Amino acid sequence: MTTPSAADRPGSPESGTAPLPRYGSRAAQSSDTLGRSGAGRQQPASWPARTDGDTGPVPIVGDRPAPPLRPTDPVPPSTDVPEPLEPEPLEPEPLEPESLEPEELPTTERPAGGRAGRDLRAAVAVGVGLVAVIVASLLLWRPAFLAVLVAAILVAVVELTRALRAGRFAPPLVPLLVGALIMEGLAWSRGPTGLVVGFLLTALAVLLWRLGDGPAGYLKDAASGVLVALYVPLLAGFAVLLLTPDDGAARVLAFIATVVASDVGGYTAGVLFGKHRMAPSISPKKSWEGMAGSVLACMLVATPFVVLALDGPWWGGLVFGAALAVSATVGDLGESLIKRDLGIKDMGNLLPGHGGIMDRLDSLLPSAAVAYLLLSVLAPV
């Protein structure tokens, strides 16, 4: 048996391989020599020499990241100075409605001129002209008044329809105009029954006509169309019913004169004594003092008509005047409410100082129905 040579013995310096390092020899090295060339392994000659102290073969671009701070380490002071915050501008407090100038008021509250909000000279001139036309048509030939009334109704329907269109409602105009003619004709020829039938036919025509424009907005357009039919031609039909008897001219004159007295009395008392507002959110010019003036003026005008022209009792004139003062005021407030909702001042501009025809019919329309019902009891035909 041959013995191994010294070169073949393990651990011999003459063996073909370097001796393996013992366990723990790497741990004996300091942390500064780990991974560096010459400390356990040699760096290949092809790698470039490192002069920046980096330890890895892959160069790191830029500075080394700072080690994370421990909870006990002090936080270095920041060199960034925050910019001072700019104070927010303070919004001015809203002014009270009483301190607003006329140009700052909403459209529906801007006065057109004068203390009561209208051009007095133009209003008086137009009012006198309208009264002259009405009285002349009633005294000369009653059907002439019917023609004047129908023309006013048609214009009022157009004005109200256009005003509603400005408020994004679209009532059909054609069935409303045709229906207004039918309603007044049936009221003249068939009485109250014909008026009601004409209204029902007009409402049905509005509903069917609106179907042609599709379902979008159908409900509001159809409802606004029925409102126009009820508000203008139906209520005006009661004035036609007042005209049909033999003393129809006296009945219509009593009705119109009382409503005009309500307007004039309320205007005068409101300008002279008006201090307590009746409905400031609807009509800022209305006052309770003006309402008292309307009632007094209506009683003074209505009583002679009821007693002398219609052979009614004296107290009937007082009741008739007070009731029409209330109905005229309610009609005025109702139209003001519609205009306030639509954001307009007048329904039209056909009558200088008054606005449109609809602005003059606002008090007459509901008062026509009240006058017809009261005179049917106080002064029956």
Side-chain angles (χ1 to χ4, degrees), residues 157 161 170-180 183 198-214 217-230 233:
V157 168
T161 301
L173 181 60
V174 174
L176 288 173
L177 294 177
V178 176
M183 291 169 66
F199 169 72
L200 295 178
L201 293 176
T202 303
L204 180 60
V206 168
L207 299 178
L208 295 178
W209 189 281
R210 180 55 184 79
L211 288 175
D213 293 335
Y218 174 81
L219 183 59
K220 65 175 184 178
D221 295 343
S224 62
V226 175
L227 172 65
V228 174
L230 185 150

Side-chain angles (χ1 to χ4, degrees), residues 3-16:
T3 60
S5 62
D8 295 335
R9 293 175 184 172
S12 174
E14 297 180 0
S15 67

